[in-house]
Amino acid sequence: MKLIEAKLQLKGDEKVAIINARFNHFITQNLVEGAKDAFIRHGGNDDNLSLIMVPGAFEIPFALKKAILSKKFDAICCLGAVIRGATPHFDFVSAETTKGIASVSLNNEVPVSFGILTTDSIEQAIERAGSKSGNKGFEAMMTLIEMLNLSKEL
């Protein structure tokens, strides 16, 4: 059996974008820092990393589509935080954001990673943005690096 597997190392010339939702910025800024850390630690050149800010998670799929169509990026990491409140708003935003990112990702040839937190509380979001549960921004960038390299292998 032939194993096709990607490395977790960049050459340094890859152009990568992070799309980050500004809503819940006190959480998402930590996700961005984690993603940037993973990018640099694994050989990425800071000059080749772009940060695209959008108002909230719902707007990420539109920005993702525009970023892919621009042909400026080899891969794109999507970050955001949707925290459950007292209304059904959480359900709509998290579902449509997920569907939108998946749809854009599957209909294009650019690797995309999903780093959108969907949590029941602010405490859970904080845990996933750099405290107890690690940093999901770092993990989303690691996934992106692996998929970028796997895409080249395939």
PDB file of all heavy atoms in Angstrom, residues 48-79:
ATOM      1  N   ASN A  48       4.512  36.832   4.038  1.00  0.00           N
ATOM      2  CA  ASN A  48       3.564  36.114   3.185  1.00  0.00           C
ATOM      3  C   ASN A  48       2.281  35.728   3.911  1.00  0.00           C
ATOM      4  O   ASN A  48       1.494  34.934   3.401  1.00  0.00           O
ATOM      5  CB  ASN A  48       4.213  34.852   2.607  1.00  0.00           C
ATOM      6  CG  ASN A  48       5.296  35.177   1.617  1.00  0.00           C
ATOM      7  OD1 ASN A  48       5.301  36.241   1.008  1.00  0.00           O
ATOM      8  ND2 ASN A  48       6.224  34.273   1.448  1.00  0.00           N
ATOM      9  N   LEU A  49       2.075  36.299   5.096  1.00  0.00           N
ATOM     10  CA  LEU A  49       0.873  36.030   5.880  1.00  0.00           C
ATOM     11  C   LEU A  49       0.010  37.289   5.907  1.00  0.00           C
ATOM     12  O   LEU A  49       0.491  38.358   6.285  1.00  0.00           O
ATOM     13  CB  LEU A  49       1.252  35.615   7.308  1.00  0.00           C
ATOM     14  CG  LEU A  49       0.114  35.189   8.225  1.00  0.00           C
ATOM     15  CD1 LEU A  49      -0.613  33.957   7.681  1.00  0.00           C
ATOM     16  CD2 LEU A  49       0.644  34.910   9.627  1.00  0.00           C
ATOM     17  N   SER A  50      -1.236  37.163   5.464  1.00  0.00           N
ATOM     18  CA  SER A  50      -2.170  38.294   5.443  1.00  0.00           C
ATOM     19  C   SER A  50      -3.318  38.038   6.396  1.00  0.00           C
ATOM     20  O   SER A  50      -3.782  36.903   6.529  1.00  0.00           O
ATOM     21  CB  SER A  50      -2.738  38.486   4.031  1.00  0.00           C
ATOM     22  OG  SER A  50      -1.716  38.787   3.115  1.00  0.00           O
ATOM     23  N   LEU A  51      -3.801  39.100   7.035  1.00  0.00           N
ATOM     24  CA  LEU A  51      -4.944  39.018   7.933  1.00  0.00           C
ATOM     25  C   LEU A  51      -6.097  39.801   7.320  1.00  0.00           C
ATOM     26  O   LEU A  51      -5.974  40.998   7.057  1.00  0.00           O
ATOM     27  CB  LEU A  51      -4.587  39.590   9.312  1.00  0.00           C
ATOM     28  CG  LEU A  51      -5.719  39.638  10.338  1.00  0.00           C
ATOM     29  CD1 LEU A  51      -6.272  38.244  10.629  1.00  0.00           C
ATOM     30  CD2 LEU A  51      -5.237  40.314  11.619  1.00  0.00           C
ATOM     31  N   ILE A  52      -7.197  39.113   7.060  1.00  0.00           N
ATOM     32  CA  ILE A  52      -8.405  39.724   6.509  1.00  0.00           C
ATOM     33  C   ILE A  52      -9.439  39.761   7.634  1.00  0.00           C
ATOM     34  O   ILE A  52      -9.822  38.718   8.158  1.00  0.00           O
ATOM     35  CB  ILE A  52      -8.943  38.907   5.309  1.00  0.00           C
ATOM     36  CG1 ILE A  52      -7.887  38.814   4.213  1.00  0.00           C
ATOM     37  CG2 ILE A  52     -10.252  39.507   4.802  1.00  0.00           C
ATOM     38  CD1 ILE A  52      -8.200  37.784   3.136  1.00  0.00           C
ATOM     39  N   MET A  53      -9.870  40.945   8.001  1.00  0.00           N
ATOM     40  CA  MET A  53     -10.842  41.102   9.084  1.00  0.00           C
ATOM     41  C   MET A  53     -12.248  41.269   8.512  1.00  0.00           C
ATOM     42  O   MET A  53     -12.440  42.008   7.545  1.00  0.00           O
ATOM     43  CB  MET A  53     -10.494  42.322   9.942  1.00  0.00           C
ATOM     44  CG  MET A  53      -9.158  42.228  10.655  1.00  0.00           C
ATOM     45  SD  MET A  53      -9.091  40.941  11.899  1.00  0.00           S
ATOM     46  CE  MET A  53     -10.218  41.583  13.126  1.00  0.00           C
ATOM     47  N   VAL A  54     -13.205  40.564   9.108  1.00  0.00           N
ATOM     48  CA  VAL A  54     -14.614  40.700   8.730  1.00  0.00           C
ATOM     49  C   VAL A  54     -15.408  40.993  10.006  1.00  0.00           C
ATOM     50  O   VAL A  54     -14.928  40.730  11.117  1.00  0.00           O
ATOM     51  CB  VAL A  54     -15.145  39.427   8.031  1.00  0.00           C
ATOM     52  CG1 VAL A  54     -14.423  39.195   6.714  1.00  0.00           C
ATOM     53  CG2 VAL A  54     -15.039  38.197   8.915  1.00  0.00           C
ATOM     54  N   PRO A  55     -16.623  41.542   9.870  1.00  0.00           N
ATOM     55  CA  PRO A  55     -17.391  41.898  11.064  1.00  0.00           C
ATOM     56  C   PRO A  55     -17.696  40.730  11.992  1.00  0.00           C
ATOM     57  O   PRO A  55     -17.540  40.832  13.204  1.00  0.00           O
ATOM     58  CB  PRO A  55     -18.682  42.492  10.503  1.00  0.00           C
ATOM     59  CG  PRO A  55     -18.309  42.968   9.137  1.00  0.00           C
ATOM     60  CD  PRO A  55     -17.283  41.997   8.639  1.00  0.00           C
ATOM     61  N   GLY A  56     -18.148  39.617  11.438  1.00  0.00           N
ATOM     62  CA  GLY A  56     -18.509  38.468  12.265  1.00  0.00           C
ATOM     63  C   GLY A  56     -18.326  37.172  11.505  1.00  0.00           C
ATOM     64  O   GLY A  56     -17.948  37.168  10.329  1.00  0.00           O
ATOM     65  N   ALA A  57     -18.614  36.065  12.168  1.00  0.00           N
ATOM     66  CA  ALA A  57     -18.419  34.750  11.561  1.00  0.00           C
ATOM     67  C   ALA A  57     -19.275  34.558  10.312  1.00  0.00           C
ATOM     68  O   ALA A  57     -18.841  33.928   9.339  1.00  0.00           O
ATOM     69  CB  ALA A  57     -18.725  33.659  12.579  1.00  0.00           C
ATOM     70  N   PHE A  58     -20.482  35.097  10.300  1.00  0.00           N
ATOM     71  CA  PHE A  58     -21.385  34.943   9.161  1.00  0.00           C
ATOM     72  C   PHE A  58     -20.775  35.497   7.874  1.00  0.00           C
ATOM     73  O   PHE A  58     -21.061  35.003   6.784  1.00  0.00           O
ATOM     74  CB  PHE A  58     -22.722  35.637   9.464  1.00  0.00           C
ATOM     75  CG  PHE A  58     -23.781  35.375   8.443  1.00  0.00           C
ATOM     76  CD1 PHE A  58     -24.525  34.206   8.485  1.00  0.00           C
ATOM     77  CD2 PHE A  58     -24.041  36.301   7.439  1.00  0.00           C
ATOM     78  CE1 PHE A  58     -25.522  33.961   7.538  1.00  0.00           C
ATOM     79  CE2 PHE A  58     -25.027  36.064   6.496  1.00  0.00           C
ATOM     80  CZ  PHE A  58     -25.764  34.891   6.533  1.00  0.00           C
ATOM     81  N   GLU A  59     -19.923  36.499   7.988  1.00  0.00           N
ATOM     82  CA  GLU A  59     -19.317  37.138   6.813  1.00  0.00           C
ATOM     83  C   GLU A  59     -18.073  36.408   6.301  1.00  0.00           C
ATOM     84  O   GLU A  59     -17.534  36.728   5.240  1.00  0.00           O
ATOM     85  CB  GLU A  59     -18.967  38.597   7.126  1.00  0.00           C
ATOM     86  CG  GLU A  59     -20.175  39.494   7.297  1.00  0.00           C
ATOM     87  CD  GLU A  59     -20.919  39.318   8.625  1.00  0.00           C
ATOM     88  OE1 GLU A  59     -20.278  38.942   9.637  1.00  0.00           O
ATOM     89  OE2 GLU A  59     -22.136  39.555   8.650  1.00  0.00           O
ATOM     90  N   ILE A  60     -17.588  35.427   7.033  1.00  0.00           N
ATOM     91  CA  ILE A  60     -16.375  34.706   6.635  1.00  0.00           C
ATOM     92  C   ILE A  60     -16.515  34.010   5.280  1.00  0.00           C
ATOM     93  O   ILE A  60     -15.616  34.136   4.439  1.00  0.00           O
ATOM     94  CB  ILE A  60     -15.916  33.732   7.742  1.00  0.00           C
ATOM     95  CG1 ILE A  60     -15.408  34.525   8.944  1.00  0.00           C
ATOM     96  CG2 ILE A  60     -14.834  32.784   7.227  1.00  0.00           C
ATOM     97  CD1 ILE A  60     -15.097  33.684  10.170  1.00  0.00           C
ATOM     98  N   PRO A  61     -17.609  33.287   4.996  1.00  0.00           N
ATOM     99  CA  PRO A  61     -17.694  32.609   3.693  1.00  0.00           C
ATOM    100  C   PRO A  61     -17.584  33.558   2.493  1.00  0.00           C
ATOM    101  O   PRO A  61     -16.937  33.229   1.492  1.00  0.00           O
ATOM    102  CB  PRO A  61     -19.056  31.919   3.732  1.00  0.00           C
ATOM    103  CG  PRO A  61     -19.308  31.680   5.184  1.00  0.00           C
ATOM    104  CD  PRO A  61     -18.725  32.897   5.867  1.00  0.00           C
ATOM    105  N   PHE A  62     -18.189  34.732   2.586  1.00  0.00           N
ATOM    106  CA  PHE A  62     -18.093  35.708   1.489  1.00  0.00           C
ATOM    107  C   PHE A  62     -16.646  36.155   1.296  1.00  0.00           C
ATOM    108  O   PHE A  62     -16.132  36.164   0.172  1.00  0.00           O
ATOM    109  CB  PHE A  62     -18.987  36.924   1.765  1.00  0.00           C
ATOM    110  CG  PHE A  62     -18.854  37.991   0.722  1.00  0.00           C
ATOM    111  CD1 PHE A  62     -19.506  37.864  -0.495  1.00  0.00           C
ATOM    112  CD2 PHE A  62     -18.072  39.104   0.950  1.00  0.00           C
ATOM    113  CE1 PHE A  62     -19.374  38.850  -1.472  1.00  0.00           C
ATOM    114  CE2 PHE A  62     -17.928  40.091  -0.014  1.00  0.00           C
ATOM    115  CZ  PHE A  62     -18.580  39.963  -1.233  1.00  0.00           C
ATOM    116  N   ALA A  63     -15.980  36.502   2.389  1.00  0.00           N
ATOM    117  CA  ALA A  63     -14.582  36.938   2.300  1.00  0.00           C
ATOM    118  C   ALA A  63     -13.708  35.793   1.799  1.00  0.00           C
ATOM    119  O   ALA A  63     -12.766  36.016   1.020  1.00  0.00           O
ATOM    120  CB  ALA A  63     -14.091  37.434   3.659  1.00  0.00           C
ATOM    121  N   LEU A  64     -14.010  34.571   2.211  1.00  0.00           N
ATOM    122  CA  LEU A  64     -13.263  33.398   1.755  1.00  0.00           C
ATOM    123  C   LEU A  64     -13.380  33.247   0.244  1.00  0.00           C
ATOM    124  O   LEU A  64     -12.379  33.046  -0.452  1.00  0.00           O
ATOM    125  CB  LEU A  64     -13.784  32.142   2.468  1.00  0.00           C
ATOM    126  CG  LEU A  64     -13.211  30.811   2.025  1.00  0.00           C
ATOM    127  CD1 LEU A  64     -11.707  30.743   2.249  1.00  0.00           C
ATOM    128  CD2 LEU A  64     -13.924  29.673   2.765  1.00  0.00           C
ATOM    129  N   LYS A  65     -14.583  33.353  -0.256  1.00  0.00           N
ATOM    130  CA  LYS A  65     -14.795  33.233  -1.706  1.00  0.00           C
ATOM    131  C   LYS A  65     -14.028  34.316  -2.458  1.00  0.00           C
ATOM    132  O   LYS A  65     -13.359  34.040  -3.461  1.00  0.00           O
ATOM    133  CB  LYS A  65     -16.286  33.307  -2.021  1.00  0.00           C
ATOM    134  CG  LYS A  65     -16.588  33.132  -3.494  1.00  0.00           C
ATOM    135  CD  LYS A  65     -18.078  33.122  -3.747  1.00  0.00           C
ATOM    136  CE  LYS A  65     -18.358  32.962  -5.229  1.00  0.00           C
ATOM    137  NZ  LYS A  65     -19.799  32.968  -5.510  1.00  0.00           N
ATOM    138  N   LYS A  66     -14.112  35.556  -1.992  1.00  0.00           N
ATOM    139  CA  LYS A  66     -13.394  36.665  -2.643  1.00  0.00           C
ATOM    140  C   LYS A  66     -11.884  36.454  -2.581  1.00  0.00           C
ATOM    141  O   LYS A  66     -11.168  36.713  -3.554  1.00  0.00           O
ATOM    142  CB  LYS A  66     -13.770  38.003  -1.993  1.00  0.00           C
ATOM    143  CG  LYS A  66     -15.201  38.416  -2.167  1.00  0.00           C
ATOM    144  CD  LYS A  66     -15.566  38.712  -3.593  1.00  0.00           C
ATOM    145  CE  LYS A  66     -15.164  40.103  -3.974  1.00  0.00           C
ATOM    146  NZ  LYS A  66     -15.601  40.499  -5.309  1.00  0.00           N
ATOM    147  N   ALA A  67     -11.386  35.982  -1.447  1.00  0.00           N
ATOM    148  CA  ALA A  67      -9.943  35.749  -1.296  1.00  0.00           C
ATOM    149  C   ALA A  67      -9.472  34.648  -2.244  1.00  0.00           C
ATOM    150  O   ALA A  67      -8.406  34.768  -2.864  1.00  0.00           O
ATOM    151  CB  ALA A  67      -9.617  35.386   0.151  1.00  0.00           C
ATOM    152  N   ILE A  68     -10.253  33.590  -2.377  1.00  0.00           N
ATOM    153  CA  ILE A  68      -9.882  32.513  -3.294  1.00  0.00           C
ATOM    154  C   ILE A  68      -9.894  33.012  -4.734  1.00  0.00           C
ATOM    155  O   ILE A  68      -8.962  32.746  -5.496  1.00  0.00           O
ATOM    156  CB  ILE A  68     -10.820  31.299  -3.112  1.00  0.00           C
ATOM    157  CG1 ILE A  68     -10.509  30.601  -1.789  1.00  0.00           C
ATOM    158  CG2 ILE A  68     -10.679  30.327  -4.283  1.00  0.00           C
ATOM    159  CD1 ILE A  68     -11.483  29.493  -1.419  1.00  0.00           C
ATOM    160  N   LEU A  69     -10.945  33.735  -5.101  1.00  0.00           N
ATOM    161  CA  LEU A  69     -11.051  34.236  -6.476  1.00  0.00           C
ATOM    162  C   LEU A  69      -9.953  35.237  -6.823  1.00  0.00           C
ATOM    163  O   LEU A  69      -9.605  35.387  -7.996  1.00  0.00           O
ATOM    164  CB  LEU A  69     -12.434  34.853  -6.710  1.00  0.00           C
ATOM    165  CG  LEU A  69     -13.602  33.868  -6.687  1.00  0.00           C
ATOM    166  CD1 LEU A  69     -14.940  34.609  -6.807  1.00  0.00           C
ATOM    167  CD2 LEU A  69     -13.455  32.830  -7.800  1.00  0.00           C
ATOM    168  N   SER A  70      -9.389  35.901  -5.823  1.00  0.00           N
ATOM    169  CA  SER A  70      -8.306  36.867  -6.066  1.00  0.00           C
ATOM    170  C   SER A  70      -7.031  36.184  -6.548  1.00  0.00           C
ATOM    171  O   SER A  70      -6.165  36.818  -7.130  1.00  0.00           O
ATOM    172  CB  SER A  70      -8.000  37.667  -4.800  1.00  0.00           C
ATOM    173  OG  SER A  70      -7.242  36.886  -3.873  1.00  0.00           O
ATOM    174  N   LYS A  71      -6.915  34.873  -6.258  1.00  0.00           N
ATOM    175  CA  LYS A  71      -5.736  34.071  -6.616  1.00  0.00           C
ATOM    176  C   LYS A  71      -4.445  34.582  -5.962  1.00  0.00           C
ATOM    177  O   LYS A  71      -3.348  34.322  -6.432  1.00  0.00           O
ATOM    178  CB  LYS A  71      -5.576  33.965  -8.128  1.00  0.00           C
ATOM    179  CG  LYS A  71      -6.773  33.305  -8.789  1.00  0.00           C
ATOM    180  CD  LYS A  71      -6.496  32.959 -10.224  1.00  0.00           C
ATOM    181  CE  LYS A  71      -7.688  32.373 -10.921  1.00  0.00           C
ATOM    182  NZ  LYS A  71      -8.247  31.171 -10.422  1.00  0.00           N
ATOM    183  N   LYS A  72      -4.570  35.309  -4.862  1.00  0.00           N
ATOM    184  CA  LYS A  72      -3.412  35.842  -4.144  1.00  0.00           C
ATOM    185  C   LYS A  72      -2.876  34.882  -3.080  1.00  0.00           C
ATOM    186  O   LYS A  72      -1.795  35.112  -2.549  1.00  0.00           O
ATOM    187  CB  LYS A  72      -3.782  37.159  -3.457  1.00  0.00           C
ATOM    188  CG  LYS A  72      -4.105  38.289  -4.398  1.00  0.00           C
ATOM    189  CD  LYS A  72      -4.508  39.531  -3.610  1.00  0.00           C
ATOM    190  CE  LYS A  72      -4.923  40.655  -4.540  1.00  0.00           C
ATOM    191  NZ  LYS A  72      -5.425  41.811  -3.777  1.00  0.00           N
ATOM    192  N   PHE A  73      -3.663  33.842  -2.740  1.00  0.00           N
ATOM    193  CA  PHE A  73      -3.309  32.992  -1.602  1.00  0.00           C
ATOM    194  C   PHE A  73      -3.248  31.521  -1.984  1.00  0.00           C
ATOM    195  O   PHE A  73      -4.056  31.040  -2.764  1.00  0.00           O
ATOM    196  CB  PHE A  73      -4.310  33.205  -0.465  1.00  0.00           C
ATOM    197  CG  PHE A  73      -4.475  34.649  -0.090  1.00  0.00           C
ATOM    198  CD1 PHE A  73      -5.603  35.358  -0.463  1.00  0.00           C
ATOM    199  CD2 PHE A  73      -3.480  35.316   0.605  1.00  0.00           C
ATOM    200  CE1 PHE A  73      -5.751  36.705  -0.141  1.00  0.00           C
ATOM    201  CE2 PHE A  73      -3.605  36.655   0.937  1.00  0.00           C
ATOM    202  CZ  PHE A  73      -4.745  37.355   0.561  1.00  0.00           C
ATOM    203  N   ASP A  74      -2.281  30.833  -1.403  1.00  0.00           N
ATOM    204  CA  ASP A  74      -2.135  29.390  -1.613  1.00  0.00           C
ATOM    205  C   ASP A  74      -3.045  28.603  -0.667  1.00  0.00           C
ATOM    206  O   ASP A  74      -3.383  27.448  -0.953  1.00  0.00           O
ATOM    207  CB  ASP A  74      -0.684  28.965  -1.383  1.00  0.00           C
ATOM    208  CG  ASP A  74       0.259  29.651  -2.351  1.00  0.00           C
ATOM    209  OD1 ASP A  74      -0.038  29.651  -3.558  1.00  0.00           O
ATOM    210  OD2 ASP A  74       1.285  30.194  -1.894  1.00  0.00           O
ATOM    211  N   ALA A  75      -3.423  29.194   0.452  1.00  0.00           N
ATOM    212  CA  ALA A  75      -4.261  28.526   1.444  1.00  0.00           C
ATOM    213  C   ALA A  75      -4.864  29.591   2.369  1.00  0.00           C
ATOM    214  O   ALA A  75      -4.291  30.672   2.529  1.00  0.00           O
ATOM    215  CB  ALA A  75      -3.440  27.526   2.249  1.00  0.00           C
ATOM    216  N   ILE A  76      -6.016  29.248   2.982  1.00  0.00           N
ATOM    217  CA  ILE A  76      -6.720  30.223   3.819  1.00  0.00           C
ATOM    218  C   ILE A  76      -7.236  29.558   5.096  1.00  0.00           C
ATOM    219  O   ILE A  76      -7.878  28.512   5.056  1.00  0.00           O
ATOM    220  CB  ILE A  76      -7.893  30.865   3.047  1.00  0.00           C
ATOM    221  CG1 ILE A  76      -7.358  31.541   1.772  1.00  0.00           C
ATOM    222  CG2 ILE A  76      -8.639  31.870   3.927  1.00  0.00           C
ATOM    223  CD1 ILE A  76      -8.413  31.998   0.795  1.00  0.00           C
ATOM    224  N   CYS A  77      -6.956  30.212   6.221  1.00  0.00           N
ATOM    225  CA  CYS A  77      -7.352  29.747   7.549  1.00  0.00           C
ATOM    226  C   CYS A  77      -8.486  30.644   8.057  1.00  0.00           C
ATOM    227  O   CYS A  77      -8.316  31.860   8.162  1.00  0.00           O
ATOM    228  CB  CYS A  77      -6.139  29.849   8.476  1.00  0.00           C
ATOM    229  SG  CYS A  77      -6.421  29.341  10.174  1.00  0.00           S
ATOM    230  N   CYS A  78      -9.645  30.057   8.354  1.00  0.00           N
ATOM    231  CA  CYS A  78     -10.808  30.809   8.829  1.00  0.00           C
ATOM    232  C   CYS A  78     -10.920  30.704  10.350  1.00  0.00           C
ATOM    233  O   CYS A  78     -10.947  29.602  10.891  1.00  0.00           O
ATOM    234  CB  CYS A  78     -12.071  30.264   8.182  1.00  0.00           C
ATOM    235  SG  CYS A  78     -12.090  30.376   6.387  1.00  0.00           S
ATOM    236  N   LEU A  79     -11.003  31.866  11.010  1.00  0.00           N
ATOM    237  CA  LEU A  79     -11.066  31.910  12.474  1.00  0.00           C
ATOM    238  C   LEU A  79     -12.228  32.771  12.938  1.00  0.00           C
ATOM    239  O   LEU A  79     -12.527  33.800  12.333  1.00  0.00           O
ATOM    240  CB  LEU A  79      -9.769  32.476  13.051  1.00  0.00           C
ATOM    241  CG  LEU A  79      -8.480  31.758  12.692  1.00  0.00           C
ATOM    242  CD1 LEU A  79      -7.284  32.525  13.246  1.00  0.00           C
ATOM    243  CD2 LEU A  79      -8.495  30.333  13.190  1.00  0.00           C
TER     244      LEU A  79
END
